[in-house]
């Protein structure tokens, strides 16, 4: 008598045969990616900046400071189509160009401020406009200053009248890691992206010293400088792990496997960008010992500090700054307003320059940004009085070439050279004089500011009907 297999035994046999026959096929199938490779867009908010219209312009009979250390007497500069075409003492005047006789006047590159909070701490200064510090955690590297920039800030127009053609907008200094910065062209517009400097690298704002420990000392820490350093080191360590996870995912995907991508973390994404060399570090730091400690941390985690900001004690370690190729963005004479600023001296900038390190004059002020040429003049004259002989041509590097290098935009701007953006300022006289004014300011060859034509001055929507004292609108 033949036995009829039960339904259960048939099912088991079927499953067994399928497993044997299809095991290799299933395994092979599992190894094939069934979705697209996940990647993170490095620039999700690209610039929409468009230069203002300009006309070919030839400025002649002027004293030219090139921004890279040279001075040209009785020179001329020619720019067209947004670019510098030629400059020198004996260049030929082209036909069909606007000619400006600049007898007695000076020409320089546009000023670049590496440390501004315009737009994130705009005027009028009210709590509702205060968007520069995300004071909720010592590490807020995931926030971006560009998402808080208010283009209606009247400060942009005031800075333009002072010859400022580009600037870096930074988060504040309350946190160990304050967030990403953004570089803007100073052509006031409707949106941040319409002002955003095309392809300028992002920066990361960091802060050491009193600010983080003061803000977080009673909020869970850090409350000491050693707590600050532990916070940096832990954050960088976490970022290394984050990079390793993404590298493992990409490797397994490329091998034909079907890995699960890591969970995206905006904070660690920014820190990873620094470790990969894509994001530049700008660090608020005053004391020489702390700057040295931070360069040690930099070496431990193999990243680059581009610039120490404020840096009132840079003169004490100028040789170390040069060795590590780290810039110092400094004030001419701010010091003593808190303990870590106590040991500042007026010769700071000149001493850093004399040592061969990268010296920058910055503002960190909506008022100081309007006369950065005078701030540089103070630092230059203080150095000269101390016997540090620096020419005006060399000193202008503090306002244009060195800031451009620190922001990663020197290939485009920061000096007057053929092929670079025509970011040009025509001054009424020697720009190291208190009495000199910016007469014309060109950004990418377009006349962005003309002192002789008030009707052309940029006016913020916020200012309409609200004329400030001393203004003419």
């Amino acid at each position: 008598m033949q036995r009829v297999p039960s339904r259960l035994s048939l099912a088991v046999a079927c499953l067994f045969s399928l497993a044997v026959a299809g095991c290799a096929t299933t395994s092979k199938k599992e190894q094939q990616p069934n979705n697209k490779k996940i990647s993170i867009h490095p620039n999700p908010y690209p610039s929409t900046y468009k230069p203002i219209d300009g006309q070919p312009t030839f400025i002649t009979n002027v004293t030219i400071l090139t921004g890279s250390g040279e001075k040209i007497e009785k020179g001329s500069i020619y720019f067209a189509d947004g670019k510098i075409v030629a400059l020198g003492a004996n260049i030929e005047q082209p036909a069909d160009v606007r000619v400006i006789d600049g007898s007695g006047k000076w020409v320089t590159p546009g000023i670049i401020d590496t440390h501004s909070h315009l737009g994130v701490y705009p005027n009028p200064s009210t709590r509702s406009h205060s968007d520069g510090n995300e004071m909720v955690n010592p590490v807020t590297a995931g926030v971006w200053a560009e998402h808080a920039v208010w283009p209606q800030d009247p400060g942009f127009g005031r800075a333009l009248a002072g010859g400022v053609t580009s600037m870096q907008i930074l988060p504040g200094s309350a946190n160990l890691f304050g967030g990403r910065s953004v570089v803007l062209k100073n052509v006031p517009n409707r949106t941040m992206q319409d002002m955003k400097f095309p392809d300028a690298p992002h920066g990361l704002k960091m802060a050491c010293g009193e600010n983080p420990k003061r803000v977080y000392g009673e909020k869970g820490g850090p409350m000491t400088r050693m707590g600050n350093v532990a916070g940096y080191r832990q954050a960088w360590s976490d970022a290394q792990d984050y990079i390793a996870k993404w590298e493992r995912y990409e490797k397994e995907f490329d091998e034909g496997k079907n890995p699960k991508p890591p969970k995206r973390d905006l904070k660690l994404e920014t820190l990873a960008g620094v470790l990969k060399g894509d994001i530049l570090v700008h660090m608020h730091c005053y004391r020489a010992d702390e700057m040295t400690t931070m360069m040690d941390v930099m070496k431990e985690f193999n990243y680059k500090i581009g610039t120490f900001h404020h840096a009132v004690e840079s003169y004490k370690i100028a040789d170390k700054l040069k060795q590590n190729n780290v810039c110092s963005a400094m004030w001419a004479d701010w010091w003593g307003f808190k303990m870590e600023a106590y040991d500042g001296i007026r010769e700071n900038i000149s001493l850093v320059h004399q040592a061969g390190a990268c010296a920058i004059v910055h503002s960190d002020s909506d008022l100081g940004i309007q006369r950065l040429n005078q701030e540089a003049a103070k630092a230059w004259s203080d150095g000269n009085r101390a016997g540090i002989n620096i020419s005006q041509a060399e000193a202008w590097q503090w306002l244009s070439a060195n800031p451009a290098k620190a922001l990663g935009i020197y290939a485009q701007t920061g000096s007057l050279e053929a092929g670079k953006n025509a970011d040009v300022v025509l001054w009424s006289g020697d720009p190291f004089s208190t009495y000199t004014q910016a007469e014309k300011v060109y950004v990418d060859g377009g006349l962005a500011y003309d002192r002789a034509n008030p009707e052309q001055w940029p006016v913020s929507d916020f200012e309409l009907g609200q004329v400030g004292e001393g203004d003419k609108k």
Side-chain angles (χ1 to χ4, degrees), residues 108-440:
T108 70
I111 293 172
I112 301 171
D113 190 1
T114 61
H115 193 117
S116 176
H117 299 294
L118 292 182
V120 295
Y121 281 116
N123 285 312
S125 180
T126 68
R127 185 170 182 178
S128 60
H129 281 165
S130 179
D131 288 313
N133 266 317
E134 186 68 10
M135 292 185 286
V136 296
N137 190 286
V139 181
T140 58
V143 304
W144 296 24
E146 64 192 71
H147 296 146
V149 169
W150 189 46
Q152 290 189 45
D153 185 353
F156 289 120
R158 305 296 193 278
L160 185 63
V164 175
T165 53
S166 298
M167 68 193 78
Q168 176 176 224
I169 309 302
L170 291 154
S173 55
N175 301 342
L176 299 176
F177 297 87
R180 294 200 198 193
S181 66
V182 63
V183 179
L184 301 180
K185 293 269 194 176
N186 195 17
V187 180
N189 216 312
R190 296 173 299 168
T191 69
M192 172 280 302
Q193 283 172 272
D194 284 345
M195 300 173 68
K196 193 172 183 179
F197 197 115
D199 301 320
H202 276 112
L204 171 64
K205 175 66 177 296
M206 294 179 63
C208 64
E210 293 182 21
N211 283 18
K213 74 191 197 80
R214 170 178 52 81
V215 172
Y216 292 100
E218 297 180 2
K219 294 167 62 174
M223 67 179 296
T224 63
R225 281 179 166 83
M226 58 185 177
N228 284 354
V229 174
Y232 309 130
R233 297 180 71 214
Q234 186 60 62
W236 292 127
S237 180
D238 292 344
Q240 288 176 328
D241 290 344
Y242 188 68
I243 291 173
K245 289 177 182 178
W246 277 98
E247 289 178 343
R248 188 182 312 117
Y249 162 75
E250 292 171 356
K251 179 176 180 293
E252 291 180 357
F253 190 98
D254 293 342
E255 289 173 348
K257 300 177 182 178
N258 189 21
K260 182 179 179 181
K263 184 180 187 304
R264 191 174 179 186
D265 186 309
L266 298 181
K267 174 185 71 177
L268 296 177
E269 192 172 297
T270 293
L271 298 180
V274 173
L275 295 181
K276 292 178 179 179
D278 300 326
I279 298 175
L280 308 175
V281 171
H282 296 271
M283 189 160 199
H284 160 123
C285 214
Y286 287 75
R287 287 183 1 190
D289 60 310
E290 288 194 90
M291 288 186 273
T292 304
T293 297
M294 292 318 304
M295 287 189 284
D296 288 340
V297 175
M298 170 185 83
K299 294 171 185 175
E300 178 185 6
F301 290 94
N302 195 30
Y303 67 95
K304 181 76 173 66
I305 295 173
T307 309
F308 285 120
H309 290 240
H310 312 331
V312 300
E313 291 187 17
S314 280
Y315 66 95
K316 297 181 179 181
I317 55 165
D319 57 333
K320 295 181 181 293
L321 294 168
K322 179 184 178 182
Q323 291 166 10
N324 289 281
N325 192 28
V326 178
C327 291
S328 292
M330 298 162 281
W331 295 296
D333 53 6
W334 287 21
W335 69 279
F337 48 89
K338 54 182 175 178
M339 287 305 299
E340 64 186 0
Y342 185 77
D343 221 3
I345 61 172
R346 294 172 65 97
E347 298 81 11
N348 190 26
I349 294 172
S350 291
L351 285 168
V352 170
H353 179 95
Q354 184 185 47
C358 169
I360 295 168
V361 175
H362 73 347
S363 77
D364 190 25
S365 165
D366 61 319
L367 297 177
I369 196 174
Q370 299 176 33
R371 40 190 164 269
L372 275 170
N373 63 308
Q374 295 180 28
E375 296 301 305
K378 288 191 289 186
W380 168 73
S381 60
D382 286 333
N384 282 340
R385 277 193 292 271
I388 306 169
N389 296 317
I390 299 171
S391 68
Q392 290 176 314
E394 289 180 278
W396 198 266
Q397 294 175 94
W398 306 340
L399 293 173
S400 61
N402 289 352
K405 292 173 183 177
L407 298 179
I409 56 175
Y410 186 62
Q412 292 79 37
T413 190
S415 63
L416 301 178
E417 301 177 50
K420 283 195 171 184
N421 296 346
D423 297 336
V424 177
V425 182
L426 175 65
W427 300 90
S428 61
D430 180 350
F432 286 79
S433 167
T434 305
Y435 302 102
T436 293
Q437 297 175 323
E439 288 193 350
K440 298 182 189 297

